[in-house]
Amino acid sequence: SQTIHQWPATLVQPVGSPLSLECTVEGTSNPNLYWYRQAAGRGLQLLFYSVGIGQISSEVPQNLSASRPQDRQFILSSKKLLLSDSGFYLCAWRAGRYSNQPQHFGDGTRLSIL
Amino acid sequence: KNQVEQSPQSLIILEGKNCTLQCNYTVSPFSNLRWYKQDTGRGPVSLTIMTFSENTKSNGRYTATLDADTKQSSLHITASQLSDSASYICVVSAGGGSYIPTFGRGTSLIVHP
């Protein structure tokens, strides 16, 4: 069966420090991968999505970047964190390009910037 | 612009009672609509999916309806339990090979004993 792993579960970082969040998927190949951010009491905001290795699309201009070095690995990074980067970050995968497939979410990373 | 609006924003009910959550969307061309349940501190989990030709779909005590003409959906929860306390998110996907579904902001449901 397919599983998705995100780590770390919680992270506290000072302003200006770098960031690396990792997401890996098991049990499937060539998934579509997504990074979302969820602010308190708000909906999910799509940050990046990827349809293949090395293919990254950004949805909003921001302080973050994403990379997909392997088929089932998706990394969210920043060189210098801002206070506004605080939030709940969710990784998701979906089988292929067909929209009738569900997105499967990891359990998220709670990021607090001090 | 594709949009999904949910109401109410939050809801408090007593255990055992029923409730109905609403979702209105403007997504074109429409492909399908999903309801997700998100427990606090966890990722969302899909409850139901509905395509254009479906009016009603049930998953245990959850029943979703879809009116494609008025572009409205509802999620009805019967005989609520404490474990139903969560955020319920309506997500609409467009056709035409779109990779990006449109998310509503969710309804926060609290079930009190």
Side-chain angles (χ1 to χ4, degrees):
Chain A
S1 63
Q2 303 93 350
T3 56
I4 179 169
H5 302 281
Q6 260 190 266
W7 68 92
T10 59
L11 189 60
V12 180
Q13 292 282 99
V15 170
S17 64
L19 174 74
S20 180
L21 302 181
E22 189 161 342
C23 171
T24 59
V25 181
E26 296 177 358
T28 188
S29 59
N30 196 30
N32 290 348
L33 296 172
Y34 305 80
W35 277 112
Y36 290 89
R37 177 170 55 207
Q38 187 175 35
R42 305 292 298 274
L44 274 70
Q45 179 189 34
L46 179 63
L47 302 176
F48 301 95
Y49 71 94
S50 171
V51 300
I53 296 174
Q55 301 178 61
I56 307 295
S57 295
S58 174
E59 287 299 295
V60 294
Q62 59 202 306
N63 183 41
L64 303 169
S65 62
S67 62
R68 185 172 178 173
Q70 300 180 43
D71 181 45
R72 290 169 290 178
Q73 184 184 29
F74 206 22
I75 297 172
L76 184 68
S77 304
S78 174
K79 292 182 180 178
K80 285 187 177 182
L81 286 166
L82 307 172
L83 283 174
S84 57
D85 291 324
S86 292
F88 189 49
Y89 289 82
L90 287 159
C91 179
W93 72 272
R94 187 169 77 179
R97 64 179 293 171
Y98 300 106
S99 64
N100 62 345
Q101 296 297 316
Q103 286 179 301
H104 303 276
F105 289 84
D107 278 336
T109 294
R110 177 76 58 191
L111 176 63
S112 300
I113 310 300
L114 303 178
Chain B
K1 180 182 178 183
N2 292 336
Q3 286 188 316
V4 176
E5 301 288 340
Q6 290 187 244
S7 62
Q9 185 175 358
S10 61
L11 184 61
I12 300 174
I13 62 174
L14 291 175
E15 187 178 13
K17 298 296 186 182
N18 304 336
C19 66
T20 301
L21 315 180
Q22 301 290 344
C23 174
N24 296 337
Y25 62 90
T26 54
V27 175
S28 182
F30 175 82
S31 174
N32 63 75
L33 183 149
R34 283 186 183 274
W35 284 93
Y36 283 82
K37 179 187 180 187
Q38 184 179 20
D39 292 319
T40 301
R42 306 293 298 274
V45 175
S46 178
L47 290 174
T48 66
I49 178 175
M50 304 189 72
T51 57
F52 186 86
S53 60
E54 296 174 303
N55 311 103
T56 303
K57 185 168 283 188
S58 293
N59 177 2
R61 294 180 296 103
Y62 300 105
T63 299
T65 65
L66 175 66
D67 186 332
D69 292 330
T70 61
K71 298 184 179 179
Q72 296 179 326
S73 175
S74 65
L75 181 69
H76 186 75
I77 304 175
T78 303
S80 60
Q81 300 176 0
L82 298 179
S83 59
D84 293 329
S85 295
S87 179
Y88 292 84
I89 305 171
C90 177
V91 183
V92 183
S93 292
S98 170
Y99 297 107
I100 306 170
T102 303
F103 282 72
R105 290 192 172 191
T107 292
S108 176
L109 174 66
I110 298 175
V111 180
H112 278 314

